[in-house]
Amino acid sequence: MKKILLLAALSFWASFAFSGISFQVPQDTVPKDTTWKKGANIGILFQQVGLSNWAGGGASSVSYGGEAEFFLRKNKDNHTWNNALSLGYGIISNSEIGTRKNNDYLIFQSSYNRNLTKKTSLTALVDFRT
């Protein structure tokens, strides 16, 4: 019984500790003489479910994928321009249904803001999604 509880605790901890690995690009890589700031967040994801003699239904599976977010910002005087690109893709392999795509997206957003006064501004936004 103790071995089962220890195995369950280790599996629970491992699912949180190793379910995603994230890499982050420093945001201060832009030279100091420019008003543009750029950066990125990139993640690699992995998940595994193992079922054996399970009466409740379900199937063992393995899924993996990746996500990335990139941004580019400019802020000068009364003008602000923000650009963001988000990408994601994932695959799941199930013992019952085979291999399928479970995540697939591309999102591009761009906004431009012009401050007219301290309390008034104009904003234009473009949003593209798949």
Side-chain angles (χ1 to χ4, degrees):
M1 181 67 176
K2 288 182 182 180
K3 289 182 181 179
I4 293 173
L5 289 175
L6 180 62
L7 183 60
L10 287 174
S11 298
F12 181 75
W13 175 79
S15 68
F16 284 105
F18 299 109
S19 63
I21 301 170
S22 179
F23 303 98
Q24 191 169 23
V25 177
Q27 297 177 5
D28 59 348
T29 58
V30 177
K32 300 296 182 192
D33 62 343
T34 182
T35 57
W36 287 97
K37 294 189 180 191
K38 61 182 176 179
N41 291 321
I42 300 171
I44 299 169
L45 310 166
F46 175 77
Q47 180 181 3
Q48 180 179 2
V49 175
L51 301 174
S52 176
N53 296 329
W54 181 249
S60 299
S61 66
V62 175
S63 63
Y64 48 92
E67 295 181 348
E69 296 179 4
F70 304 95
F71 68 87
L72 184 63
R73 297 183 182 126
K74 182 177 183 177
N75 190 358
K76 187 174 182 181
D77 300 329
N78 293 330
H79 306 275
T80 304
W81 188 11
N82 292 318
N83 298 292
L85 176 65
S86 299
L87 307 165
Y89 189 78
I91 292 177
I92 187 167
S93 180
N94 187 314
S95 61
E96 290 182 357
I97 61 172
T99 302
R100 295 186 181 189
K101 177 174 62 172
N102 68 344
N103 190 11
D104 182 15
Y105 67 89
L106 179 139
I107 301 172
F108 174 73
Q109 294 177 327
S110 182
S111 67
Y112 174 77
N113 184 37
R114 168 80 162 106
N115 294 328
L116 300 176
T117 66
K118 289 183 178 181
K119 295 184 179 182
T120 308
S121 65
L122 294 174
T123 302
L125 174 68
V126 174
D127 190 321
F128 174 79
R129 296 170 184 253
T130 64

